[in-house]
Amino acid sequence: MNSDKIVDCKGLFCPMPVVGLNKAIKEIEMGQILEVLATDPASVPDFRAWTMRTGNELLESKEEKGVYKFFIRKTK
């Protein structure tokens, strides 16, 4: 999946990946896709909850070699 912006939150622990996500989503345009990289397993439920709460769309969430990748479309 192609993204318009990538945010590297690897090595950060809760709540910092969500803080990085929150900041970065404000820097992209409506409809664009943000890719967030994280290593904290807590980011999986945190990002799901964040997208449900904010109304933005979690397009994909996957784990590759200990790195969680999230693709989020800005819809709000």
Side-chain angles (χ1 to χ4, degrees):
M1 182 174 298
N2 293 328
S3 57
D4 297 291
K5 182 176 179 77
I6 299 173
V7 178
D8 187 348
C9 295
K10 295 186 301 245
L12 301 178
F13 295 96
C14 186
M16 296 314 293
V18 173
V19 171
L21 164 60
N22 226 5
K23 181 180 180 223
I25 202 80
K26 295 174 184 174
E27 298 171 355
I28 63 173
E29 300 296 320
M30 196 74 62
Q32 288 187 314
I33 297 174
L34 178 66
E35 179 179 350
V36 185
L37 308 174
T39 49
D40 183 3
S43 61
V44 175
D46 288 349
F47 280 30
R48 283 190 189 121
W50 182 89
T51 55
M52 290 178 66
R53 189 176 71 251
T54 63
N56 291 289
E57 183 180 2
L58 180 60
L59 300 172
E60 186 177 349
S61 170
K62 61 184 177 179
E63 185 268 333
E64 294 177 356
K65 298 181 182 177
V67 176
Y68 300 92
K69 292 184 178 186
F70 303 91
F71 294 89
I72 300 165
R73 183 187 325 269
K74 182 174 182 173
T75 58
K76 295 280 180 170

